[in-house]
Amino acid sequence: MILTVTLNTALDVTYRVPRLLPHASHRVTAVTERPGGKGLNVARVLAALGHEVTATGFAGGPVGAVVRELLAAAAPGVTDALVPCADTSRRTVAVVDEASGDTTQFNEPGPHVTAAEWSRFLTRYEALLAGAKAVALCGSLPPGVPVGAYAVLVRQARTAGVPVLLDTSGEALRRGVAARPEIIKPNAAELAELTGSRDPLPATRDARRRGAHAVVTSLGPDGLLATTAGGTWQAAPPRALAGNPTGAGDSVVAGLLSALVEGLDWPERLTRAVALSAATVLAPVAGEFDPRTYEEVRPTVYVTDASRG
């Protein structure tokens, strides 16, 4: 079983409008709702790849109830192990401008988690680790959760002998990386914030010195850069992709984690992760991927050992 953790789950609401204009009223042409938060997105992709997945984190109030209902309906291969909290879970609202294709995002902060609720989550997490082959710790921290939460969760997983992929940002990443996760997956901006360097290659090496065993950086259309104990590799699709990048980073996490569990080497891990990311960008629904497109894109990905060049 692969365990995903989404401490700040969300109900993702997407509005589509013909054109988004400031200070104007808009007629919405379509509304969609999905269970959201980075870890739940990762869980859906892992399940689509055929892996047994359990999703945990917090879900509370009426919004949390809808998240759980939609998770059961939209991701039947994902086991719901979310922990209830008294405060209501957040919503994220995306407004898609159909004329330009641009998306404007509004993210609520999330529920206030009490000390007792955090303690209950830690007990649930420790129990779930006993059956986990790997764990993904993903996304922002809701109010009330300690800023060092991911460091605590990384250390618990390491004690249980379970490899961890950490995908977060800011102070949560800074503290989490010091606990020595197996992999971190920042984007270029998050990596620069962590290390102070805007040059990705030395920045990934710096991040490894801070504690991560491997650093995989998302470079947007330029693919992924991975620095590991065994070398440095870069992987990218051979052409620019037009589409919606929403959820592409979560597909990268799913690709890396599934390949780790399957024992694939780093070039194969990056090949899968970039192909999944590309298939997500090209999918008609944001944050999903078409398995047929994934198989078509996969052979076009190239991997180079940047440590040799």
Side-chain angles (χ1 to χ4, degrees):
M1 176 266 287
I2 298 177
L3 178 63
T4 71
V5 175
T6 314
L7 296 176
N8 209 3
T9 57
L11 176 63
D12 289 344
V13 182
T14 301
Y15 296 122
R16 302 187 71 88
V17 298
R19 185 180 296 275
L20 183 61
L21 300 171
H23 316 297
S25 296
H26 296 80
R27 184 174 297 278
V28 177
T29 59
V31 181
T32 58
E33 293 183 338
R34 294 167 13 116
K38 294 178 72 64
L40 293 188
N41 296 337
V42 172
R44 282 199 303 270
V45 176
L46 286 169
L49 291 171
H51 285 273
E52 180 185 354
V53 189
T54 296
T56 191
F58 290 106
V63 174
V66 174
V67 168
R68 301 184 83 159
E69 291 172 7
L70 292 176
L71 183 64
V78 178
T79 298
D80 177 354
L82 294 168
V83 175
C85 59
D87 203 2
T88 191
S89 295
R90 64 185 177 134
R91 294 162 297 179
T92 66
V93 179
V95 182
V96 179
D97 183 327
E98 295 178 327
S100 67
D102 293 336
T103 300
T104 301
Q105 191 86 13
F106 301 89
N107 296 328
E108 296 178 358
H112 186 276
V113 175
T114 67
E117 289 165 343
W118 174 239
S119 179
R120 284 198 293 272
F121 170 80
L122 290 175
T123 300
R124 173 72 62 86
Y125 177 72
E126 184 176 13
L128 291 169
L129 284 173
K133 297 178 181 177
V135 58
L137 306 176
C138 302
S140 62
L141 301 178
V145 171
V147 70
Y150 282 136
V152 172
L153 300 184
V154 170
R155 284 193 290 268
Q156 279 189 265
R158 292 190 67 216
T159 298
V162 180
V164 177
L165 190 156
L166 176 61
D167 183 15
T168 189
S169 60
E171 188 62 22
L173 174 60
R174 188 179 306 278
R175 298 199 186 193
V177 73
R180 301 186 60 78
E182 187 71 21
I183 305 170
I184 63 170
K185 193 214 69 66
N187 60 33
E190 292 162 349
L191 183 66
E193 182 183 8
L194 174 67
T195 65
S197 173
R198 295 194 174 276
D199 187 335
L201 184 55
T204 57
R205 291 170 177 165
D206 184 358
R208 283 199 70 240
R209 287 192 292 269
R210 292 168 185 263
H213 292 272
V215 181
V216 180
T217 303
S218 297
L219 302 176
D222 293 325
L224 301 175
L225 175 67
T227 298
T228 77
T232 300
W233 292 268
Q234 187 167 357
R239 59 182 176 85
L241 300 172
N244 189 341
T246 302
D250 301 326
S251 291
V252 167
V253 172
L256 293 173
L257 209 59
S258 62
L260 182 154
V261 167
E262 293 170 27
L264 303 183
D265 63 19
W266 271 107
E268 291 173 309
R269 294 182 195 183
L270 294 181
T271 298
R272 175 178 293 182
V274 171
L276 276 172
S277 177
T280 301
V281 171
L282 295 172
V285 178
E288 303 288 348
F289 81 96
D290 184 335
R292 293 170 299 179
T293 303
Y294 168 57
E295 293 301 330
E296 291 169 4
V297 173
R298 186 178 177 83
T300 68
V301 177
Y302 67 87
V303 178
T304 59
D305 185 348
S307 64
R308 297 176 183 171

